[in-house]
């Protein structure tokens, strides 16, 4: 959705002045390419030299949104929609949806629903009927949860440590597409981090997954625990459908998280997860609310510090959606940091990487049948494999046995170049995931 906004912005910028200043052009370019890391670094330097005032507000809104500063992002969006609708042109629809999404993420469900509903009423009153499908869908999506309370968290004023288990995933049954012996990478394993979570007095292992936008359970889990189902099905990734439920509280050690709207995988769609032993998933909604998580490999504990760690010297390198800034052969790229990516010694490269480097990839890559999957998709297919593959995140190099070029991943977009997960965590003594100041940091 945001891509429509930013493509329009350059057209708007050129219409404001035939002689746009270089700082405006540079900021417009960074917004257009969704280079949020560079925008966050360059905007403070260039803003006093910019001539187009509304572009400053757009830049500040995008920085705040992508670095998880929701209140500030909402202030900027309010200013844009109150004072700059004519400047935004057709892109205003996308900013309207973005404002509603922020309100939803902040737990202000009724406000989000009423805001979108009022906009729809106004547009229809003006005779607008085309191009409203996204708004209609979103209004329906948020309106069904309008009476629910916002997610909240309580914890004591000290560090909290809980044990975790590195669980190797092994299928309960062997499908035909799994039968090929993997001689290419014989040390490959599928490993997830399993954390004890208490639900109504019962301790249940949840998988810690920064790649999941929300906490996630199966339809079977919902039925067994007597949880309610909310509204109609929604789309998660690609064509995968699911429902939603409401969990009144979960406890992780001495931390209590209340009022969680969780995704529900339909039994048919969840078949693969059940087959390989993936249970409920602790998603980014809960992980972000906690603030900072330190994954300590020396004693297999997860530390939730009361006072979060200081920003490292290299600054913010993670976005609200768990995309991190990585470097490959000196080139800045964006990877989804996904602890639900269970490969112990490999990463995935998306179409965005292959399209940019296809000549080099085709020279060095081999082709092999790769088996795997996730929610809504599983199987084996021919893919390109680069061996070995190296990248760095922050100041730490990460050496991988291989990178699999996954050109058809439903998680891919033109600005996300790959996916790395548990393989990075396993290589370091400690992994810091800070969703307050937005950084990933490793300690050897």
């Amino acid at each position: 959705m945001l891509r429509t906004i930013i493509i329009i912005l350059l057209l708007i910028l050129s219409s404001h002045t035939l002689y746009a200043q270089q700082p405006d052009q540079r900021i417009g370019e960074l917004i257009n390419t969704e280079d949020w890391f560079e925008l966050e670094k360059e905007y403070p330097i260039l803003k006093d030299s910019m001539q187009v005032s509304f572009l400053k507000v757009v830049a500040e809104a995008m920085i705040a949104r992508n670095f998880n500063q929701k209140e500030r992002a909402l202030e900027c969006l309010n200013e844009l929609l109150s004072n700059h609708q004519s400047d935004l042109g057709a892109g205003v629809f996308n900013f309207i949806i973005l404002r509603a999404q922020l309100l939803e993420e902040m737990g202000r469900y009724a406000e989000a629903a009423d805001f979108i509903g009022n906009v729809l009423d106004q547009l229809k009153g003006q005779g607008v009927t085309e191009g409203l499908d996204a708004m209609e869908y979103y209004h329906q999506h948020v309106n069904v949860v309008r009476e629910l309370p916002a997610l909240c968290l309580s914890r004591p004023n000290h560090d909290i440590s809980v044990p975790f288990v590195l669980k190797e995933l092994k299928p309960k049954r062997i499908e035909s597409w799994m039968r090929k012996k993997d001689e290419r990478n014989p040390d490959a394993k599928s490993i997830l981090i399993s954390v004890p979570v208490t639900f109504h007095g019962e301790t249940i292992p949840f998988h810690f997954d920064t790649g999941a936008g929300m906490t996630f359970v199966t339809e079977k889990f919902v039925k067994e625990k007597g949880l309610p189902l909310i509204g109609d099905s929604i789309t998660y990734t690609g064509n995968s459908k699911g429902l939603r439920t409401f969990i009144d509280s979960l406890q992780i050690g001495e931390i209590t998280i209340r009022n969680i709207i969780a995704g529900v995988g339909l039994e048919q769609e969840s078949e693969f997860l059940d087959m390989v032993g993936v249970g409920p998933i602790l998603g980014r909604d809960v992980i972000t609310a906690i603030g900072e998580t330190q994954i300590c490999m020396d004693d297999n504990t997860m530390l939730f510090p009361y006072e979060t760690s200081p920003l490292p010297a290299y600054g913010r390198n993670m976005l609200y959606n768990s995309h991190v800034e990585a470097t490959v052969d000196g080139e800045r790229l964006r990877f989804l940091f996904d602890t639900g990516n269970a490969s112990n010694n490999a990463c995935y490269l998306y179409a965005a990487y292959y399209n940019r480097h296809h000549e080099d990839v085709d020279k060095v890559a081999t082709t092999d049948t790769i088996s795997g999957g996730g929610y809504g998709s599983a199987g084996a297919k021919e893919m390109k494999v680069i061996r070995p593959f190296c990248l760095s995140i922050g100041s730490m190099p990460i050496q991988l046995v291989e990178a699999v070029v996954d050109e058809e991943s439903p998680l891919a977009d033109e600005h996300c170049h790959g996916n790395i997960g548990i393989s990075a965590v396993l290589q370091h003594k400690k992994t810091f995931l800070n969703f307050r100041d937005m950084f990933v940091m490793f300690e050897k």
Side-chain angles (χ1 to χ4, degrees):
M1 191 62 67
L2 279 180
R3 191 153 301 112
T4 306
I5 297 173
I6 54 188
I7 289 172
I8 290 171
L9 284 178
L10 290 189
L11 300 176
I12 295 170
L13 180 58
S14 63
S15 70
H16 270 69
T17 172
L18 295 175
Y19 306 99
Q21 298 296 308
Q22 186 175 354
D24 297 272
Q25 293 175 333
R26 176 58 177 165
I27 294 303
E29 175 189 354
L30 292 174
I31 294 172
N32 190 56
T33 56
E34 298 188 24
D35 193 345
W36 310 128
F37 294 111
E38 197 63 24
L39 179 67
E40 194 246 355
K41 294 171 186 173
E42 293 192 28
Y43 174 73
I45 300 169
L46 298 177
K47 67 176 181 178
D48 290 340
S49 303
M50 293 173 63
Q51 302 297 310
V52 182
S53 60
F54 97 95
L55 189 61
K56 293 183 182 181
V57 188
V58 172
E60 291 179 16
M62 294 298 99
I63 291 170
R65 196 288 181 272
N66 282 284
F67 291 98
N68 206 31
Q69 302 160 1
K70 293 185 176 66
E71 292 287 357
R72 177 56 183 154
L74 190 59
E75 289 176 10
C76 294
L77 290 172
N78 289 342
E79 182 177 347
L80 285 170
L81 295 174
S82 297
N83 302 322
H84 297 285
Q85 285 201 28
S86 60
D87 296 318
L88 295 172
V92 70
F93 283 13
N94 302 287
F95 283 101
I96 287 168
I97 293 178
L98 178 56
R99 182 180 186 273
Q101 289 173 334
L102 275 170
L103 289 170
E104 181 190 9
E105 290 172 16
M106 296 163 76
R108 295 158 64 174
Y109 309 123
E111 190 177 346
D114 290 343
F115 169 65
I116 285 287
N118 290 336
V119 171
L120 283 168
D121 289 343
Q122 292 176 31
L123 291 172
K124 291 174 182 178
Q126 296 167 10
V128 178
T129 57
E130 298 295 326
L132 301 183
D133 289 351
M135 281 194 196
E136 293 274 14
Y137 174 82
Y138 188 76
H139 179 253
Q140 190 176 38
H141 164 85
V142 74
N143 196 51
V144 296
V145 299
R146 61 179 298 119
E147 302 300 330
L148 294 179
L151 184 146
C152 64
L153 178 146
S154 61
R155 58 172 295 165
N157 299 341
H158 58 75
D159 295 352
I160 295 166
S161 180
V162 300
F164 68 78
V165 174
L166 290 176
K167 179 180 178 180
E168 184 177 353
L169 302 183
K170 294 184 178 180
K172 297 177 182 178
R173 65 178 189 273
I174 302 297
E175 298 290 318
S176 59
W177 53 269
M178 298 178 178
R179 295 185 189 281
K180 180 179 180 294
K181 184 178 180 181
D182 193 349
E183 298 175 349
R184 181 195 75 257
N185 187 359
D187 296 324
K189 296 179 181 178
S190 294
I191 296 173
L192 288 177
I193 298 174
S194 181
V195 181
V197 174
T198 302
F199 171 73
H200 291 193
E202 178 185 3
T203 300
I204 301 169
F206 273 63
H207 290 108
F208 183 87
D209 189 353
T210 57
M214 63 195 306
T215 294
F216 192 86
V217 298
T218 63
E219 193 173 11
K220 179 181 178 181
F221 182 95
V222 167
K223 291 177 180 177
E224 289 177 349
K225 308 305 178 187
L227 296 174
L229 289 174
I230 301 171
D232 297 324
S233 65
I234 60 175
T235 300
Y236 290 119
T237 59
N239 295 320
S240 299
K241 298 287 185 179
L243 297 166
R244 287 176 291 170
T245 189
F246 180 76
I247 300 175
D248 58 357
S249 69
L250 294 174
Q251 289 79 43
I252 306 171
E254 296 176 85
I255 300 174
T256 299
I257 306 98
R258 296 182 175 86
N259 310 327
I260 303 163
I261 298 176
V264 179
L266 302 176
E267 288 188 9
Q268 183 177 359
E269 293 278 16
S270 299
E271 183 179 358
F272 174 78
L273 302 183
D274 180 65
M275 181 174 65
V276 298
V278 175
I281 291 170
L282 200 67
R284 204 163 51 242
D285 51 351
V286 170
I287 296 168
T288 300
I290 292 173
E292 177 175 318
T293 302
Q294 298 175 15
I295 305 171
C296 309
M297 294 300 301
D298 53 352
D299 60 359
N300 279 22
T301 60
M302 200 167 276
L303 179 69
F304 305 108
Y306 179 67
E307 294 186 3
T308 57
S309 304
L311 193 68
Y314 49 76
R316 295 178 176 87
N317 68 342
M318 181 169 63
L319 305 179
Y320 79 100
N321 57 4
S322 292
H323 287 190
V324 297
E325 187 173 44
T327 304
V328 178
D329 294 331
E331 180 183 15
R332 290 190 311 109
L333 300 174
R334 222 160 82 186
F335 275 65
L336 175 65
F337 194 85
D338 178 9
T339 55
N341 174 354
S343 176
N344 71 316
N345 61 11
C347 72
Y348 291 89
L349 299 174
Y350 291 157
Y353 183 89
Y354 181 71
N355 292 341
R356 186 183 294 192
H357 299 285
H358 63 91
E359 292 183 0
D360 293 332
V361 171
D362 290 345
K363 286 178 184 177
V364 301
T366 58
T367 301
D368 206 341
T369 302
I370 308 296
S371 301
Y375 180 70
S377 63
K381 60 182 178 181
E382 295 290 309
M383 290 195 281
K384 298 179 186 296
V385 180
I386 302 171
R387 306 184 80 242
F389 191 79
C390 305
L391 72 156
S392 62
I393 297 174
S395 58
M396 285 292 185
I398 299 170
Q399 310 287 334
L400 300 166
V401 170
E402 65 184 23
V404 176
V405 184
D406 187 1
E407 300 175 61
E408 299 177 0
S409 170
L411 297 174
D413 66 48
E414 64 180 291
H415 299 292
C416 184
H417 303 93
N419 178 311
I420 188 167
I422 199 67
S423 56
V425 174
L426 294 175
Q427 291 190 24
H428 299 96
K429 179 180 178 181
K430 187 181 288 188
T431 299
F432 298 75
L433 297 166
N434 186 307
F435 281 90
R436 294 275 166 82
D437 290 319
M438 304 309 297
F439 64 85
V440 171
M441 181 171 65
F442 301 104
E443 182 181 296
K444 275 292 188 184

